[in-house]
Amino acid sequence: MALICVCSPKGGVGKTMLAANIAHGLQRAGRRVLAVDLDPQNALRLHFGLPLAEEAGFAAGMERQVDWRAELRRTACGVSLLPYGALDATARLSLTRAIEADPERLAAPLREAAADPGLTVVVDTAPGVSRALFAVLPLADIILVPLLADGGSVATLPEIESGRFFGRGTMGTIFASKMRFVLNQVDQGRRLSASVTAALMRHLGPRLLGLVAHDEAVAEALACEALLADHAPRSRAACDLAEIVAALDAALPAANGAQGMLAGVGR
Ligand SMILES: Nc1ncnc2c1ncn2[C@@H]1O[C@H](COP(=O)(O)OP(=O)(O)OP(=O)(O)O)[C@@H](O)[C@H]1O
Ligand SMILES: [Mg+2]
């Protein structure tokens, strides 16, 4: 029904933090949510409290041509999770070759999930471009790009806005129209952060969905393998994320609770 793809040309900007916490927020807002990890770092699962030792996942299953539904995990907060899984370097390369040869291996399950009328899908991706990113982008209702409130992140904006990252053709124009930004790790007490924030607020206008403060509680929640709204519900960043979730919830098609073919997912 609705798909949000969290992506960025740059690493370490908060993609996984954002994907995990908006999936949780949208589920708390009454939606049925599936969180999908397309990043070989396999880190999304940690936000949902899956054991570190748990290695199963979507990618390893794809190698063995297992139905992706068999790899779904029901998390404690109610969000359904499709972890990437742990793959060694050789298996990763062989999977990349298999997807190059047959992109439908990856695109078909994502399309099936996105077609479920009552499901909201949140996808976390690896930094930069990948086959996986280009399989998911055409399905996205919202392409959510976190930026850090620093000079390095600002430098990636021309790459995004010129189409170098998402493509310059008609598809690139469509992707650009779906792009929304979140400014992460904002620290109003620091001169550079405050002036980058002010400049980006002016430049992005309504494409900026919200700001997330730099907040120790974010890293602490991850260290405890917990979601921020559970770990530190009154923290600055949790309040900021709640505002971003409300903006996303309003921008997405209404949750109608319709039962699709994945009716068990997220219930
Ligand atoms: N608002 C914040 N305040 C403090 N720390 C944060 C904040 N957002 C993210 N972090 C921390 O920054 C680090 C990077 O975040 P995260 O892993 O979500 O980025 P990423 O874009 O997914 O990285 P990668 O490109 O490696 O996938 C993590 O340690 C996370 O806890
Ligand atoms: Mg990540």
Side-chain angles (χ1 to χ4, degrees), residues 11-17 39 41 127 184-185 212-215 218-219:
V13 292
K15 293 180 291 300
T16 305
M17 178 284 294
D39 184 349
Q41 294 182 86
N184 187 26
Q185 302 217 28
V212 182
H214 177 85
D215 187 339
V218 172

Side-chain angles (χ1 to χ4, degrees), residues 3 15 26 29 38 56 71 96 102 127 170 218 229 233 255 265:
L3 189 142
K15 293 180 291 300
L26 290 169
L38 293 184
E71 306 297 345
T96 305
D102 178 15
T170 307
V218 172
V265 174

Side-chain angles (χ1 to χ4, degrees), residues 175-196:
F175 297 157
S177 71
K178 296 180 172 184
M179 228 177 281
R180 298 292 178 271
F181 295 86
V182 165
L183 201 49
N184 187 26
Q185 302 217 28
V186 172
D187 183 345
Q188 290 291 70
R190 289 175 184 261
R191 268 204 316 269
L192 180 63
S193 183
S195 58
V196 167

